[in-house]
Amino acid sequence: MLKFVSVERDMPTKRSADARREDFNEIYAEYADEKAKEQSGRCSQCGVPYCQNHCPLHNNIPDWLRLTAEGRLQEAYEVSQATNTFPEICGRICPQDRLCEGNCVIEKSGHGTVTIGAVEKYITDTAWEEGWVQPIAPVQEREESVGIIGAGPGGMAAADVLRNAGVQVTVYDRYDRAGGLLTYGIPGFKLEKPVVMRRVEQLEKGGVEFVLNCDVGTDISFDEIRQKHTAVLIATGVYKSRELPGPGAGAAGIVRAIDYLTASNRKSFGDDVPEFESGELNAEGKRVVVIGGGDTAMDCVRTAIRQGATSVKCLYRRDRANMPGSQREVMNAEEEGVEFEWLSAPKAFHGDPVTSVKVQQMRLGSPDATGRQSPEEIEGADYDEPADLVIKALGFEAEELPTLWNQDELTVTRWGTIRAEFTSGKTSLPGVYAVGDIVRGASLVVWAIRDGRDAAAAILEEMDAGATAVAAE
């Protein structure tokens, strides 16, 4: 260990921009064994590991880096898996530059961060190849059951913990495949779909039942799910897109990011996607404008490049330093040919179908309540940007679940997210818990996994307390 002085930071080889524009394969190669050992050996083994403290899951990062450096890879996997249900997924899509790697002590000292995400991915990919990842096999089965609404990362993480404890688990989801945004939201160049599907298959082999193409409130009522199960966990995520303001915002050719990305991912599965074939959700040969500065916007611009767009531009109302998306993703997008128009916001849309966007130039003014500078219009500074396809990537809001599910007693916040107890996920309804984006608002996959694991632990604690009380009687 402690090789950071003599060994420089070295990421896995990245495919050339020209090559990766041609497909949806992941852009980074895998570490070779010796390279993984070498890079893990750069860890300084801090007494206070800031990488671990800034990881939402508090992964034991220094421990599995040391084990990897020593060639004890199976043990490294076991330590990694102990705190993270899907380490190979987090290793691929977590914004490490804002979390673990961004707080690495040797990064702060100018030596370049340990490549934590790349090593995490390597450890678990190797575990799959070597057969170390096995289906869930509970020591003892329990009679209690939990119904989970939503097969995204939060729901699947909770299902894993509960099933390992022997609880009977049924997951209900509106889509035809499990995985949520991991399956239909995140493009293959960041997360290849077999990586998600093998986790779903592992849960199925371990006894988790998936009820797919099931829209709660239509195909089955929320009350029916409550009656069938000891406890219910809501992990639906947030899918309601924020709308664009301005004249012409309802024109044809202006589409939601979630619809656009879902169509692209369905094509990768070989599905029949009429909206893609018609060109409605296909960027091929088009001038594309994406509006937004988060990771969803980065997914959209990089997808459009791969679909063969004539040009791809991203409008964001603040500057580069203040954008919410990963800087690593911005760099990848720029390499692939995306143009960023900073301090720019849409003011109106011309044509139906859309032919151009009227762009208002902005400047950063005084800080708002959060300390972030607010964008202000520069009077008289606007221009028309030609566009055949405009993609709205302005973030997501919660659906009105109390109304959709006829549950007036389900308390929500002023943002429409479910009000749930910190850590446990308990809601205002007895025996009902909620986790992930439907509680936090649009957030990171790693936080959904954390919430799912915490709520599962709280459910088990409640079940054990109930069993103890019955036994005492």
Side-chain angles (χ1 to χ4, degrees):
M1 307 306 293
L2 304 170
K3 294 179 181 177
F4 61 89
V5 176
S6 57
V7 176
E8 293 187 356
R9 180 179 187 271
D10 190 5
M11 280 287 288
T13 304
K14 186 167 30 173
R15 295 194 297 139
S16 72
D18 286 341
R20 61 189 199 240
R21 276 196 294 260
E22 300 299 318
D23 59 47
F24 281 81
N25 298 333
E26 291 181 9
I27 72 171
Y28 291 101
E30 192 75 88
Y31 271 142
D33 187 58
E34 287 305 313
K35 180 62 71 173
K37 290 179 183 177
E38 172 197 87
Q39 290 299 305
S40 297
R42 297 183 67 249
C43 176
S44 64
Q45 296 289 291
C46 305
V48 179
Y50 290 102
C51 59
Q52 182 172 344
N53 292 343
H54 285 84
C55 170
L57 288 162
H58 299 307
N59 288 328
N60 299 316
I61 296 168
D63 289 352
W64 51 253
L65 285 173
R66 177 175 55 81
L67 290 165
T68 302
E70 293 173 355
R72 298 159 62 185
L73 213 57
Q74 185 168 359
E75 293 172 78
Y77 160 71
E78 290 168 356
V79 171
S80 175
Q81 184 77 33
T83 54
N84 187 355
T85 316
F86 313 120
E88 75 279 20
I89 291 174
C90 289
R92 285 170 163 86
I93 65 173
C94 266
Q96 287 96 5
D97 55 333
R98 303 203 317 253
L99 299 173
C100 54
E101 293 181 14
N103 291 279
C104 176
V105 167
I106 66 172
E107 166 77 5
K108 301 298 183 184
S109 65
H111 289 283
T113 179
V114 177
T115 53
I116 296 168
V119 174
E120 181 179 40
K121 170 179 176 284
Y122 170 75
I123 290 170
T124 316
D125 282 355
T126 303
W128 280 99
E129 291 169 7
E130 297 294 330
W132 301 335
V133 184
Q134 294 295 316
I136 298 165
V139 174
Q140 185 175 354
E141 295 289 349
R142 301 179 61 142
E143 293 182 356
E144 301 100 327
S145 70
V146 174
I148 298 176
I149 305 173
M156 291 204 301
D160 177 81
V161 173
L162 292 165
R163 191 69 199 106
N164 270 289
V167 175
Q168 311 308 309
V169 178
T170 303
V171 182
Y172 304 86
D173 196 88
R174 70 180 75 177
Y175 290 105
D176 57 344
R177 293 181 179 92
L181 288 177
L182 300 178
T183 299
Y184 287 133
I186 299 172
F189 52 77
K190 285 172 62 177
L191 178 61
E192 291 177 355
K193 300 312 154 188
V195 174
V196 182
M197 293 300 106
R198 69 186 178 188
R199 276 295 182 186
V200 174
E201 184 180 352
Q202 183 213 15
L203 290 171
E204 286 179 321
K205 287 181 177 178
V208 175
E209 180 187 2
F210 287 91
V211 181
L212 303 175
N213 289 312
C214 180
D215 190 3
V216 177
T218 302
D219 300 312
I220 186 173
S221 72
F222 184 76
D223 284 332
E224 285 179 283
I225 292 176
R226 287 189 75 186
Q227 290 166 11
K228 288 179 67 173
H229 300 286
T230 312
V232 174
L233 178 70
I234 303 171
T236 56
V238 289
Y239 283 86
K240 183 181 177 182
S241 298
R242 293 185 181 135
E243 291 303 320
L244 279 171
I254 302 175
V255 302
R256 302 190 311 160
I258 188 62
D259 297 334
Y260 176 69
L261 293 172
T262 299
S264 179
N265 279 310
R266 283 194 177 280
K267 285 298 295 181
S268 74
F269 280 106
D271 293 354
D272 180 30
V273 187
E275 299 88 346
F276 183 90
E277 302 300 340
S278 70
E280 179 185 346
L281 298 176
N282 184 355
E284 184 178 5
K286 295 179 180 177
R287 298 165 297 179
V288 177
V289 172
V290 176
I291 300 169
D295 287 333
T296 300
M298 299 307 101
D299 292 344
C300 290
V301 294
R302 298 181 66 201
T303 295
I305 285 286
R306 285 159 174 76
Q307 289 179 349
T310 304
S311 65
V312 181
K313 295 190 177 181
C314 182
L315 306 183
Y316 181 55
R317 61 182 182 157
R318 290 187 170 92
D319 60 8
R320 182 173 189 145
N322 285 281
M323 71 174 299
S326 165
Q327 292 294 330
R328 187 181 298 171
E329 284 300 295
V330 175
M331 180 181 66
N332 288 332
E334 287 178 326
E335 290 172 355
E336 292 165 7
V338 176
E339 296 179 55
F340 286 85
E341 302 291 343
W342 308 110
L343 294 165
S344 301
K347 192 170 185 178
F349 303 87
H350 304 299
D352 189 4
V354 67
T355 55
S356 67
V357 181
K358 186 174 184 179
V359 179
Q360 174 67 55
Q361 294 185 301
M362 315 291 283
R363 61 171 168 246
L364 293 180
S366 302
D368 59 18
T370 66
R372 201 174 179 205
Q373 286 181 283
S374 299
E376 301 173 346
E377 291 187 7
I378 301 174
E379 189 175 351
D382 56 50
Y383 64 94
D384 286 342
E385 179 66 52
D388 307 304
L389 177 65
V390 176
I391 303 172
K392 303 179 290 185
L394 302 172
F396 301 99
E397 298 175 343
E399 298 167 290
E400 298 175 3
L401 295 187
T403 302
L404 291 173
W405 294 351
N406 194 28
Q407 298 295 317
D408 293 338
E409 295 179 0
L410 182 61
T411 305
V412 297
T413 67
R414 61 191 176 97
W415 300 282
T417 52
I418 295 176
R419 190 180 298 279
E421 187 177 279
F422 181 67
T423 305
S424 74
K426 289 181 180 178
T427 72
S428 56
L429 298 176
V432 177
Y433 301 73
V435 300
D437 289 1
I438 195 59
V439 176
R440 294 179 177 273
S443 186
L444 301 174
V445 166
V446 67
W447 277 114
I449 295 171
R450 164 70 184 271
D451 291 349
R453 292 173 65 93
D454 283 351
I459 291 170
L460 289 170
E461 185 177 343
E462 193 80 13
M463 287 178 176
D464 290 342
T468 301
V470 170
E473 292 176 0

